[in-house]
Amino acid sequence: MKRNKIVAGNWKMNLDFEEAQTLIEDLENLLDEKQPSCEVIICPPFPYLELATDEASEHELFEVGAQNVAAWESGAYTGEVSAKMLDSIGVSCCIIGHSERRKYFGEDNKTLAAKVNLALQYEIVPIFCVGEVLEEREANKHFDVIRKQVEEGLFHLDIADIENVIIAYEPVWAIGTGKTATPTQAQEVHAFIRKLVKEKYGDDIASQIHILYGGSCNAKNASELFAQPDVDGGLIGGASLKAEDFVSICEQASK
Ligand code: 13P
């Protein structure tokens, strides 16, 4: 079975409301013109999600993801946003375990597993991020690090749930640094993750699960990354803030 490609834009903590409106409008115009065949997801900051889901349901050019979700169902958790709230405004997926959340907010695999469970409970597709820091790669520990992240964050799920998860490999040393993993490095880790999934859940799940690459993926290098057999698209940071670059990446994922 050939997997369709997915391109997701992680806007991170960027843009004011007006800039977000403009970016969405520009994306709509370009996506409408170019009609890429890949699945397109945008992940704006929380205050712009409803604007994005309104546009998504009107034009059907992209889906909308959040960048984070609470690890609790509801209640006295000041400042948090629940899976139920996201679901209620039409958000269909959610980045979970981004390295910036792990680093700056101390999110560990146990917390992330709870977030994954809540997202799935509300039929929100988790985009679960894994990846090693530079020292871990240099010490050749990256496979062990990624195995632990995948096992502790996801492998408690049963088959019916893991089917609805997207995994993103984002080597931390490549995020926002302009230093992309080579296609060979990306492929090696993606194949490793797929092997872990196969050992745990079998061939069918392993061959259908999507594994995205993230980390300085841009309009210049997307094609060769997406040409790798186990790279099913990208999770794009900086380049997702420029409509032309982002849509060019979507086109490269549609070949
Ligand atoms: P950059 O594309 O800016 O390196 O960010 C990648 C990323 O963290 C996407 O989640």
Side-chain angles (χ1 to χ4, degrees), residues 71-102:
W72 306 275
E73 176 105 44
S74 68
Y77 299 101
T78 302
E80 290 292 287
V81 175
S82 71
K84 186 176 182 181
M85 294 172 188
L86 295 175
D87 178 46
S88 71
I89 58 163
V91 168
S92 56
C93 43
C94 181
I95 298 170
I96 294 177
H98 193 282
S99 60
E100 288 148 17
R101 303 276 337 156
R102 293 176 189 263

Side-chain angles (χ1 to χ4, degrees), residues 8-12 95 98-100 129 168 170 174-178 213-218 235-240:
N10 175 9
W11 294 9
K12 307 193 180 181
I95 298 170
H98 193 282
S99 60
E100 288 148 17
C129 302
E170 298 208 312
I175 295 177
T177 57
Y213 171 79
S216 298
C217 180
N218 58 40
L235 180 53
I236 317 298
S240 73

Side-chain angles (χ1 to χ4, degrees), residues 7-236:
V7 176
N10 175 9
W11 294 9
K12 307 193 180 181
M13 196 175 73
N14 291 295
L15 310 183
D16 64 21
F17 185 66
E18 217 170 288
E19 290 164 339
Q21 277 180 311
T22 305
L23 179 53
I24 288 176
E25 222 173 272
D26 292 348
L27 284 171
E28 285 172 343
N29 290 335
L30 277 170
L31 289 169
D32 194 35
E33 183 191 327
K34 310 283 187 191
Q35 296 287 333
S37 61
C38 68
E39 189 178 330
V40 180
I41 302 168
I42 61 168
C43 304
F46 284 126
Y48 317 144
L49 284 175
E50 203 183 349
L51 164 73
T53 55
D54 282 349
E55 292 295 315
S57 57
E58 192 177 334
H59 301 289
E60 297 187 353
L61 292 163
F62 50 73
E63 289 177 58
V64 180
Q67 298 174 19
N68 183 29
V69 65
W72 306 275
E73 176 105 44
S74 68
Y77 299 101
T78 302
E80 290 292 287
V81 175
S82 71
K84 186 176 182 181
M85 294 172 188
L86 295 175
D87 178 46
S88 71
I89 58 163
V91 168
S92 56
C93 43
C94 181
I95 298 170
I96 294 177
H98 193 282
S99 60
E100 288 148 17
R101 303 276 337 156
R102 293 176 189 263
K103 180 175 172 192
Y104 301 125
F105 303 94
E107 294 187 359
D108 58 13
N109 289 328
K110 192 165 163 246
T111 306
L112 298 176
K115 293 185 176 204
V116 166
N117 293 345
L118 281 162
L120 288 166
Q121 190 182 319
Y122 287 94
E123 295 184 4
I124 291 171
V125 171
I127 302 176
F128 187 77
C129 302
V130 298
E132 79 284 0
V133 300
L134 186 61
E135 301 81 73
E136 291 163 341
R137 175 159 282 266
E138 284 175 348
N140 209 23
K141 290 194 179 133
H142 48 297
F143 291 116
D144 292 340
V145 169
I146 290 159
R147 178 199 300 274
K148 191 169 155 65
Q149 291 170 335
V150 170
E151 285 180 353
E152 294 184 1
L154 295 178
F155 279 7
H156 61 285
L157 298 174
D158 59 22
I159 285 198
D161 277 334
I162 194 80
E163 270 185 343
N164 297 314
V165 172
I166 296 171
I167 299 174
Y169 170 53
E170 298 208 312
V172 180
W173 47 271
I175 295 177
T177 57
K179 202 174 160 201
T180 323
T182 64
T184 311
Q185 284 173 323
Q187 168 57 25
E188 190 183 34
V189 174
H190 283 230
F192 173 72
I193 295 171
R194 202 176 300 285
K195 182 169 78 79
L196 294 177
V197 173
K198 182 176 165 183
E199 284 164 4
K200 171 80 181 169
Y201 296 102
D203 249 338
D204 284 358
I205 301 288
S207 62
Q208 75 172 56
I209 201 162
H210 285 85
I211 308 173
L212 311 184
Y213 171 79
S216 298
C217 180
N218 58 40
K220 291 205 174 77
N221 59 27
S223 273
E224 49 176 9
L225 286 160
F226 298 166
Q228 301 302 310
D230 288 296
V231 177
D232 304 315
L235 180 53
I236 317 298

